[in-house]
Amino acid sequence: MAEYLTISCLIDRLAAFFIFIVSVVSISVAIYSLHYIEESSSGLRRNLFVPFMNVFILSMILFIASDNAFSQLIFWELMSLTSFLLVMYHYEREETRKSGLFYFVMTQMSTVFLMLAIIIIFIATGSFNLTSFNTLSPALNAAVFISLLIGFGIKMGIVPFHKWLPYAHSASPSNISALMSGVMIKVAVYGLMRYVLTVLQPESWWGILILIFGTASAFLGVIYALKEHDIKRLLAYHSIENIGIILIGFGLYLIFSQYDLTALAYLSLAASLFHTLNHAVFKSLLFLTAGSVVEETGTRDIEKMGGMVKTMPFTAGLFLIGAVSISALPPLNGFVSELMLFLAFFKSFSIANPYINILLFISLSLFAMTSALAAACFVKAFGIIFLSMPRSEKARQSHEVSRSMLIGPGILALLCIVLGVFSYQIFQFFGYQAPIPNFLGVTLVLVVFMIIVIAVMYRIANRKSREADTWSCGLTSLDSRTEYTASGFSEPILTFFKPIYNTRKSIERNFQDKYRSVFKNGKAEIHVMKVFEEKIYLPIALFIQRVSQKVSDSHNVDMDTFILYSFIMVIILLIVVGWIL
Amino acid sequence: MLSFSAYFFINTVFVLLVSPFFLGLIKKVKAYMQRRHGPPLLQPYYQLGKLLKKETVYSVHSSFISRVAPYLNLIFLLAASLCVPVIFVPAANFGMGNVILFLYLMVMAKFFMALMGLDTGSTFGGMGSSREMTISALFEPIVILVVAALALVLQTADIHEMFLITLNSSVLSNSILLLTSVALFVVLIVETSRIPVDNPETHLELTMVHEAMILESSGPNLALMELSHAVKNTLLMALLINILIPWGLAPSLTLPGCITAALAFLVKGIVLAVIVGVFESLMAKSRLFNLRTLFMLAFSLAFVTIVFELLL
């Protein structure tokens, strides 16, 4: 047995690509953390925090570099444990303890499913090696795929296994959120890609299943993000959305390969991988800058922020770059990968299978809506956090963060621009002729227009300007209570998608007189139902609780009965062993 | 390269020159429909001239967004204008013709306009941004599907190539494009903030969307915003015109070809502007939450185009 339990490494191009993602993000997060951890409390905890973070990063890299399933499992578990400890950093807070436990349970479930898949492989082939298994029977092949999809899916946070993301990301320190959202969920993407691309034999329905999961995650992720006012939860829901987009690309790749559309298949795979990199870069950028804002204001509620572009101009600028990038706007990197997906979709109608056509059609529509909703969400996030007037005293008194907390995200912001502008050249360098516009040219056009417009306006327009109050319909002055709020901003979208949110409005009114004409008091509430928690998670948890209650009841007996149990067990074992031998 | 440089210059200048005229014409048509004389046809030009001469007033609450957004708006729309050939189609376009790029350059302009709405702390601005982004998000799948239908029928995702194909074949050979054109017309109405989606004439809080976002801009900044809006209108009109009736568009750079193309585009643009004006006069402003009907119409037209193209 022992000869199987080895730890060995192999780094091919796929692994190297993902190790690159981990490294780039980790470097920036490390620079950011230099000052970030200074601001938080006790010394001992800080001293433990740093090694855990390093072990966490190392375990992710080693998971990716692992050559066999056994060492993968070990580093996977190490990654889960260290990340759990890091999430529990503020363990004195009730909220953190709850979120941490939730995360722990989900992450262990993910390991259980991975273990199941790996055990099936081991039993069928007698080895932990990750070489292609032509020997696996179709049924086993499918079983391995399903349990891998669930196992990695929990870690990626695809709908309906996504609930841990908003909890864990909002409770943990911001640099850890950046690492978890930027990198850790990508490690799960790597795992899935590794097994599906090189180990298993893909079947036609795999791509369809992944596409469905991807589309659902992308759409629901952004829909839930829109209703959030907690900045870190909002970003966490966007991670779910972007994982969805990555899976859409991967699903398209599998579908196209089934139909031998090689060019399209490579386009979708390239889009999927490129979006993985892009999302790692801009999401950690957003989490880091959001972390600075949270640190300054002491709250994660964006309704209590505002006007911070004046007190924290550099952080605001960096956040804006991330926001433009995640909203998929040209010429930054987020746009390039989504453009590639759109192009793949446009050419996909040549598949002569009406069911797949309909699926692609629905997927395309939802994907288009997703990217537009993301833009709406980030207009809200940037506008409410940074623009107009401060909504709280702390936001008014905030000031710019220290240099290392700008350099870390600054590197990522620069990458957002470079990966977008030079995308065509980057693909070319790695030997892939991507059918996308040359964004260097597009940027040049933009720069030329910028020079022309500014020069012309400088010549012909009146350059005088002065400042005055915003027009306030006759009020003497505006204050922060008259500003548009985040809830107000997303209200129309919430109303349009009421069935998805399951919003319940309750209005209670009391009157002075029995004719109900003189209003005394009342209250109105809007509840957004937590569909997944109330309909899926809780019933399962309650069921398991009931079963374990039964089991523990039956254990809670006197000595005689217990001896009887053991006796029955021994007899059963004897029979089973005798039957097998 | 030479062809592209000439294209860069001619296309941009022509679009900038004619854009305010079409807006003035639509206004005039609407005035006639209401039995008024309306402002002179060249009023938008006078308006721009007047605004350029005025000083800029910024809100005390505003930030750099209010200062750069008008410029960015025009810059991104001018870049988008290179995606849509109005006079002639350049020999090489360096990927500037990509239809998704065209759409998202316009979204980029919209993104900064929406931020500008939130910048001043005025409730109107926030309301406008919120509604604009909502409409944009709900309308995005339709725009993408219309474009997907075009890409499927014409077998290319490059607007320049699309125009060359429609130019070389009569519309009857691709009669399915008639359906897509109706959808494109709806895109034109929605994206340029016209009745029934938005009312460009009003400053009434209940109805304005686009106007609410630019309510606080003034002087040259307002001129830039107005001009970008006019450019966007022309671009979407040009897209519809050159897909449906591209006659006159020069397939390469020649002087007589360019003159004919400019005249032909003006005539077709005038006809389309009159249609838009009449359409707007016949419709009533719809409630924001009742827009589904119009959106579903465009959606189903694009859907039908794709289904027909796949079946036939």
Side-chain angles (χ1 to χ4, degrees), chain B residues 36-48:
Chain B
R36 291 188 288 119
H37 279 294
L41 274 178
L42 298 182
Q43 185 62 35
Y45 296 95
Y46 306 145
Q47 197 94 21
L48 289 177

Side-chain angles (χ1 to χ4, degrees), chain A residues 182-485:
Chain A
V183 189
M184 189 183 74
I185 58 177
K186 306 300 173 340
V187 173
V189 172
Y190 166 79
L192 187 67
M193 283 189 178
R194 163 65 68 195
Y195 276 93
V196 173
L197 289 177
T198 65
V199 180
L200 303 172
Q201 309 294 316
E203 285 169 48
S204 54
W205 54 272
W206 294 15
I208 297 173
L209 192 65
I210 290 181
L211 185 68
I212 292 173
F213 269 118
T215 313
S217 305
F219 184 62
L220 290 177
V222 73
I223 285 277
Y224 287 125
L226 273 159
K227 74 166 202 302
E228 272 314 326
H229 302 148
D230 176 328
I231 176 65
K232 291 175 78 177
R233 279 182 174 215
L234 181 145
L235 292 175
Y237 276 119
H238 274 287
S239 295
I240 298 167
E241 175 220 332
N242 281 287
I243 283 290
I245 295 175
I246 293 168
L247 287 188
I248 289 176
F250 192 50
L252 283 181
Y253 164 77
L254 291 174
I255 292 174
F256 289 142
S257 339
Q258 289 299 322
Y259 285 89
D260 288 325
L261 299 162
T262 325
L264 277 183
Y266 283 145
L267 178 63
S268 338
L269 186 63
S272 175
L273 287 171
F274 196 49
H275 199 75
T276 313
L277 172 62
N278 292 340
H279 177 246
V281 173
F282 59 64
K283 185 47 69 66
S284 21
L285 166 61
L286 286 167
F287 261 119
L288 293 183
T289 41
S292 310
V293 170
V294 171
E295 205 62 31
E296 283 299 314
T297 54
T299 173
R300 297 194 308 261
D301 187 358
I302 61 174
E303 303 275 36
K304 297 202 176 79
M305 301 176 182
M308 296 176 68
V309 68
K310 293 187 196 81
T311 51
M312 308 172 74
F314 295 108
T315 307
L318 293 172
F319 189 91
L320 183 62
I321 292 179
V324 170
S325 202
I326 198 175
S327 309
L329 297 174
L332 298 191
N333 60 354
F335 175 66
V336 181
S337 33
E338 293 204 10
L339 170 83
M340 290 162 79
L341 278 183
F342 274 125
L343 291 180
F345 266 118
F346 282 6
K347 290 177 188 156
S348 69
F349 294 110
S350 51
I351 294 175
N353 179 338
Y355 298 110
I356 290 189
N357 278 332
I358 290 172
L359 176 70
L360 289 173
F361 194 83
I362 295 169
S363 184
L364 171 62
S365 319
L366 289 177
F367 174 54
M369 197 183 272
T370 302
S371 71
L373 284 172
C377 193
F378 275 91
V379 167
K380 174 182 100 170
F382 185 82
I384 303 293
I385 297 176
F386 290 106
L387 299 182
S388 93
M389 287 164 280
R391 294 178 179 80
S392 69
E393 202 45 47
K394 276 202 152 173
R396 195 186 307 281
Q397 286 164 359
S398 59
H399 43 76
E400 189 58 272
V401 288
S402 58
R403 206 172 292 155
S404 84
M405 284 170 78
L406 291 174
I407 295 176
I411 297 173
L412 295 168
L414 195 66
L415 261 180
C416 278
I417 298 171
V418 169
L419 285 176
V421 172
F422 295 98
S423 48
Y424 185 77
Q425 284 77 6
I426 292 172
F427 279 120
Q428 210 165 31
F429 179 77
F430 287 105
Y432 176 60
Q433 202 69 35
I436 53 171
N438 187 343
F439 280 90
L440 190 59
V442 177
T443 316
L444 264 176
V445 165
L446 287 172
V447 170
V448 170
F449 273 127
M450 188 162 78
I451 294 168
I452 295 176
V453 170
I454 290 176
V456 169
M457 287 301 281
Y458 189 80
R459 289 287 300 165
I460 65 168
N462 185 340
R463 295 199 291 275
K464 258 195 293 184
S465 75
R466 66 184 165 91
E467 292 206 330
D469 261 330
T470 302
W471 181 61
S472 52
C473 305
L475 291 174
T476 43
S477 73
L478 287 175
D479 69 10
S480 58
R481 283 176 308 160
T482 57
E483 280 176 78
Y484 224 57
T485 58

Side-chain angles (χ1 to χ4, degrees), chain A residues 33-286:
Chain A
S33 306
L34 286 179
H35 276 92
Y36 182 76
I37 54 166
E38 293 294 320
E39 313 212 344
S40 49
S41 53
S42 90
L44 174 68
R45 221 186 284 181
R46 221 156 57 202
N47 291 345
L48 280 173
F49 183 77
V50 177
F52 279 145
M53 193 169 127
N54 287 335
V55 173
F56 176 47
I57 295 170
L58 185 70
S59 61
M60 288 193 284
I61 292 181
L62 286 174
F63 172 82
I64 296 170
S66 290
D67 188 25
N68 64 46
F70 175 71
S71 64
Q72 265 185 349
L73 210 53
I74 288 195
F75 292 122
W76 180 264
E77 200 48 28
L78 188 63
M79 176 179 94
S80 305
L81 279 177
T82 43
S83 59
F84 163 68
L85 291 172
L86 290 167
V87 169
M88 290 293 263
Y89 184 70
H90 295 294
Y91 61 82
E92 71 280 1
R93 295 181 195 159
E94 173 70 34
E95 182 207 3
T96 306
R97 283 202 299 272
K98 208 176 143 212
S99 312
L101 276 179
F102 194 98
Y103 171 60
F104 189 70
V105 171
M106 292 304 276
T107 202
Q108 288 314 304
M109 264 168 59
S110 140
T111 314
V112 166
F113 279 102
L114 289 193
M115 238 182 238
L116 180 67
I118 288 170
I119 289 173
I120 296 176
I121 292 179
F122 183 77
I123 291 174
T125 66
S127 119
F128 281 123
N129 277 338
L130 292 183
T131 43
S132 190
F133 302 126
N134 297 317
T135 48
L136 231 52
S137 71
L140 281 183
N141 202 21
V144 170
F145 170 69
I146 290 289
S147 61
L148 282 175
L149 186 64
I150 297 175
F152 287 124
I154 291 174
K155 202 69 169 184
M156 281 184 232
I158 56 176
V159 173
F161 314 119
H162 63 285
K163 275 316 279 207
W164 69 266
L165 267 130
Y167 285 129
H169 284 73
S170 60
S172 52
S174 298
N175 47 354
I176 297 309
S177 314
L179 276 181
M180 283 179 31
S181 187
V183 189
M184 189 183 74
I185 58 177
K186 306 300 173 340
V187 173
V189 172
Y190 166 79
L192 187 67
M193 283 189 178
R194 163 65 68 195
Y195 276 93
V196 173
L197 289 177
T198 65
V199 180
L200 303 172
Q201 309 294 316
E203 285 169 48
S204 54
W205 54 272
W206 294 15
I208 297 173
L209 192 65
I210 290 181
L211 185 68
I212 292 173
F213 269 118
T215 313
S217 305
F219 184 62
L220 290 177
V222 73
I223 285 277
Y224 287 125
L226 273 159
K227 74 166 202 302
E228 272 314 326
H229 302 148
D230 176 328
I231 176 65
K232 291 175 78 177
R233 279 182 174 215
L234 181 145
L235 292 175
Y237 276 119
H238 274 287
S239 295
I240 298 167
E241 175 220 332
N242 281 287
I243 283 290
I245 295 175
I246 293 168
L247 287 188
I248 289 176
F250 192 50
L252 283 181
Y253 164 77
L254 291 174
I255 292 174
F256 289 142
S257 339
Q258 289 299 322
Y259 285 89
D260 288 325
L261 299 162
T262 325
L264 277 183
Y266 283 145
L267 178 63
S268 338
L269 186 63
S272 175
L273 287 171
F274 196 49
H275 199 75
T276 313
L277 172 62
N278 292 340
H279 177 246
V281 173
F282 59 64
K283 185 47 69 66
S284 21
L285 166 61
L286 286 167

